[in-house]
Amino acid sequence: MKPVKIGLIGCGKQAVKHISGFKKIPGVTVILGDTETQTARTLAGKEGLAYVNDPQEIFRDPSINAVDICVPTPSHAPLIRDALNAGKSFFCEKPLCETMEEARDIQQVADQKKLAGMVGYVYRFSPIFELGKRLFEDVPSTGHSAVLGKITYAFLRLGGRGGHQAWKHMKASGGGAMNEMMVHMIDLAIWYFGRVKEAQLLGNMLIRPERPVGGKLEKVDGEDFVLARLKMENGVEVFVQSDLLTPSFSQYVEVEGENGSFFGSIQPEVPSYVYCEEPAAGYPAGRTPVNFGYINIFEAQMAAFVRSVRMGSSAAKSSIHDSILLFEAVTALKGNMR
Ligand SMILES: NC(=O)c1ccc[n+]([C@@H]2O[C@H](COP(=O)([O-])OP(=O)(O)OC[C@H]3O[C@@H](n4cnc5c(N)ncnc54)[C@H](O)[C@@H]3O)[C@@H](O)[C@H]2O)c1
């Protein structure tokens, strides 16, 4: 197996999940970097990994094949450019960057240099949503599912309390319910139903300008409730809602068709199912429960990234191009946000 050495930049919450995935893959070594050297040193000690004193050393090291970027959103684009200019493929946590212009620039440089880029839209690796993708295989081009029939509408929700760091709740650092949460659901909607034709912001609120973050009451300005309507090019109507207000975490995707329904959640305790009025494509009439149990989706995601690095191919899921399609919708919605 071809050895792969990954330089992971940003040693906070996401880094730990990525490392647990990399550790399961034979032939992969990871070296850590963070602007706070002590943070890199501490995580390196805990995980039994090497670290650098300055993240820039990662770009200069020719033995490092690829870079994994797990830092706050405003630093994504500059670090991705550094990686590509150093001839290294990259994985970047979501969202890819802050503007469409940055996204197009990243795509152009990656294409020129024939390097792969992948973005952390990890819901695509959940078996329940992979099942959804199979159910909706033909929907982007036809609006019609072999199981559910003609799709009438979909509702996707992701609600939680958001991260324990204040930057995730502040506009200036790319925080708020849109970047933190809703991008995941819009990404799933595009994966299932194709390109967005119209994006309409139905609600954008700051309900708790003061909220507990990481155990402290913080004054924040990032929106904590967003509701949007997406009209897809194939005519499917999609409603997406996200917030930073839900104490218990709540996530689901509900898709309605003329012959049935799909209800899927990343939460194993929530009953997911496929329902058909008439039997279709191997599904009987009535409700077919679906439960994949607990799956570590970060492991599946990092394995897919390492496969694309090993094969020198672009990412099969969550590519830079997928993020550009997502940006079309997000840019339209953000144009209507205060
Ligand atoms: N896919 C998901 O489900 C998911 C969940 C949470 C966060 N995220 C994303 O992951 C990214 C990181 O989030 P996190 O929760 O790990 O954040 P975090 O605040 O826990 O950690 C970020 C780390 O990056 C370091 N850092 C900051 N700027 C840097 C720079 N320019 N160079 C090097 N190091 C730098 C900080 O010192 C810190 O240690 C964000 O983009 C966030 O949106 C994704």
Side-chain angles (χ1 to χ4, degrees), residues 61-270:
D61 182 343
S63 73
I64 293 177
N65 311 89
V67 176
D68 178 8
I69 297 165
C70 300
V71 305
T73 313
S75 297
H76 287 184
L79 290 173
I80 290 171
R81 283 195 204 102
D82 286 343
L84 294 173
N85 288 332
K88 300 179 197 306
S89 293
F90 73 88
F91 181 95
C92 183
E93 259 305 342
K94 49 59 55 178
L96 173 65
C97 50
E98 292 194 295
T99 66
M100 177 64 109
E101 207 182 2
E102 286 174 339
R104 291 212 169 105
D105 180 58
I106 290 167
Q107 173 88 78
Q108 195 186 14
V109 180
D111 288 351
Q112 247 168 24
K113 293 186 177 276
K114 297 191 170 27
L115 292 165
M118 186 169 163
V119 190
Y121 288 105
V122 70
Y123 283 79
R124 289 191 184 210
F125 290 89
S126 164
I128 186 69
F129 297 129
E130 286 174 324
L131 169 66
K133 180 65 185 162
R134 293 193 292 279
L135 294 176
F136 308 132
E137 200 178 349
D138 299 327
V139 175
S141 52
T142 64
H144 197 277
S145 151
V147 181
L148 267 51
K150 185 177 183 324
I151 302 301
T152 49
Y153 88 99
F155 193 96
L156 295 85
R157 163 159 157 80
L158 174 54
R161 279 286 165 99
H164 56 289
Q165 304 90 338
W167 72 263
K168 296 186 176 183
H169 301 262
M170 302 297 291
K171 279 185 178 167
S173 44
M178 172 63 75
N179 268 357
E180 266 291 284
M181 316 286 268
M182 188 177 261
V183 289
H184 277 298
M185 296 300 99
I186 300 178
D187 177 68
L188 271 188
I190 294 173
W191 194 41
Y192 282 174
F193 309 123
R195 200 164 182 167
V196 174
K197 187 175 168 197
E198 280 169 42
Q200 189 185 358
L201 195 63
L202 301 176
N204 166 39
M205 291 185 274
L206 177 53
I207 294 175
R208 293 186 82 192
E210 231 179 37
R211 65 186 87 133
V213 180
K216 259 176 53 195
L217 203 60
E218 300 272 1
K219 281 193 169 40
V220 295
D221 65 356
E223 77 285 348
D224 53 12
F225 181 98
V226 218
L227 174 65
R229 169 184 168 253
L230 308 174
K231 187 172 175 88
M232 314 309 273
E233 277 187 346
N234 59 7
V236 172
E237 292 279 354
V238 178
F239 295 86
V240 197
Q241 187 271 325
S242 290
D243 63 65
L244 297 171
L245 299 164
T246 305
S248 62
F249 183 83
S250 173
Q251 191 280 327
Y252 61 84
V253 171
E254 187 172 354
V255 182
E256 305 302 344
E258 288 182 354
N259 187 50
S261 311
F262 167 74
F263 186 95
S265 172
I266 201 149
Q267 298 169 258
E269 72 278 15
V270 173

